Amino acid sequence: MALKLPEHSHCLHCGDPLPYGENFCDNSCKSDYEKEQKSESLRDLLFYGAIGIIILFLVYRIIL
């Protein structure tokens, strides 16, 4: 027989179970999550920028 768990969600940062509808267990998890998201966005921006520069360089080399 399967165990029926009450509806719940998990902290977006640490994964601890929370009452349904809550996203973070405390303010430190929320601030850490926001820092990680900002860092991830910057990393993605730098990656796509580097790819763009490489493509521009290759196109420039092909044209000349």
Side-chain angles (χ1 to χ4, degrees), residues 32-44:
D32 289 346
Y33 178 80
E34 289 170 349
K35 286 177 190 174
E36 286 176 3
Q37 291 299 310
K38 198 178 280 190
S39 173
E40 191 173 313
S41 293
L42 178 61
R43 186 176 53 240
D44 289 346

Side-chain angles (χ1 to χ4, degrees), residues 1 8 19 26 30-31 33 42 49-50 59:
M1 177 167 64
H8 66 282
D26 59 19
K30 184 176 182 177
S31 66
Y33 178 80
L42 178 61
V59 168

Side-chain angles (χ1 to χ4, degrees), residues 5-25:
L5 293 174
E7 281 195 51
H8 66 282
S9 48
H10 293 265
C11 178
L12 294 175
H13 178 67
C14 67
D16 286 347
L18 301 169
Y20 183 74
E22 293 185 26
N23 292 325
F24 301 100
C25 52

